[in-house]
Amino acid sequence: LHSKVRKEWQTLPEENRAAACGVLRELVLDSMRKEQSGALLVTRRLALALGAAAAQQASAVADFVSTALGLGARDQGAQGALVAFALLCALPDEMEQLAPLTGSGAGATPRPSAPDVMPYLSSVVQLVEHWLAGSGAGGAAEEAPA
């Protein structure tokens, strides 16, 4: 799924991209809630696919980061934090992979760059510091500026 998103996202009609991101987000959340063997691996793979989708369009960054911060900051426990960090690592990795392709193709959707993610940096740092301090879930991340 990750490879398919990475390779074919730009061919998806623009009006369907937000819905596709929503479906991927729900798959991540549903998978995270499962307590079956291997569920974390599946969740991390889905997080990569969602990261690949967000890296394809600048307009998806806000929802993507908000989802990750919410998972890390709410009473989702360690599982939520693991998924939050998987999401937060996926986005810059995907952006780096796509950097040589940015702006390629006629009518290509603008892809995110550093200025698109900078407003969220302090919230991400707070989330990481919160979990490194070992204080559990809650309160570290605030809404990112619009």
Side-chain angles (χ1 to χ4, degrees), residues 78-104:
Q79 183 78 354
L82 289 171
V83 175
F85 294 136
L87 288 168
L88 292 170
C89 290
L91 181 61
D93 286 348
E94 291 299 319
M95 288 172 57
E96 183 178 358
Q97 293 293 318
L98 290 170
L101 305 175
T102 299
S104 64

Side-chain angles (χ1 to χ4, degrees), residues 47-146:
L48 285 174
L50 184 55
Q56 296 278 353
Q57 57 189 40
S59 62
V61 171
D63 285 341
F64 180 86
V65 175
S66 293
T67 296
L69 293 174
L71 288 172
R74 294 189 189 123
D75 293 330
Q76 301 288 340
Q79 183 78 354
L82 289 171
V83 175
F85 294 136
L87 288 168
L88 292 170
C89 290
L91 181 61
D93 286 348
E94 291 299 319
M95 288 172 57
E96 183 178 358
Q97 293 293 318
L98 290 170
L101 305 175
T102 299
S104 64
T109 302
R111 292 187 171 135
S113 60
D116 295 309
V117 296
M118 291 303 289
Y120 306 100
L121 186 57
S122 65
S123 295
V124 171
V125 169
Q126 287 176 355
L127 178 67
V128 172
E129 287 174 345
H130 174 76
W131 280 98
L132 288 177
S135 61
E142 297 295 323
E143 289 290 319

Side-chain angles (χ1 to χ4, degrees), residues 6-101:
R6 184 185 266 180
K7 290 177 186 172
E8 298 181 20
W9 190 261
Q10 293 295 324
T11 64
L12 187 66
E14 196 160 340
E15 60 272 7
N16 296 341
R17 292 178 190 170
C21 279
V23 169
L24 284 171
R25 182 175 38 254
E26 289 305 313
L27 287 171
V28 168
L29 296 174
D30 289 345
S31 177
M32 183 192 83
R33 293 181 187 115
K34 303 231 185 283
E35 295 186 16
Q36 300 167 334
S37 176
L40 183 58
L41 177 61
V42 170
T43 304
R44 291 172 74 184
R45 300 285 178 154
L46 289 167
L48 285 174
L50 184 55
Q56 296 278 353
Q57 57 189 40
S59 62
V61 171
D63 285 341
F64 180 86
V65 175
S66 293
T67 296
L69 293 174
L71 288 172
R74 294 189 189 123
D75 293 330
Q76 301 288 340
Q79 183 78 354
L82 289 171
V83 175
F85 294 136
L87 288 168
L88 292 170
C89 290
L91 181 61
D93 286 348
E94 291 299 319
M95 288 172 57
E96 183 178 358
Q97 293 293 318
L98 290 170
L101 305 175

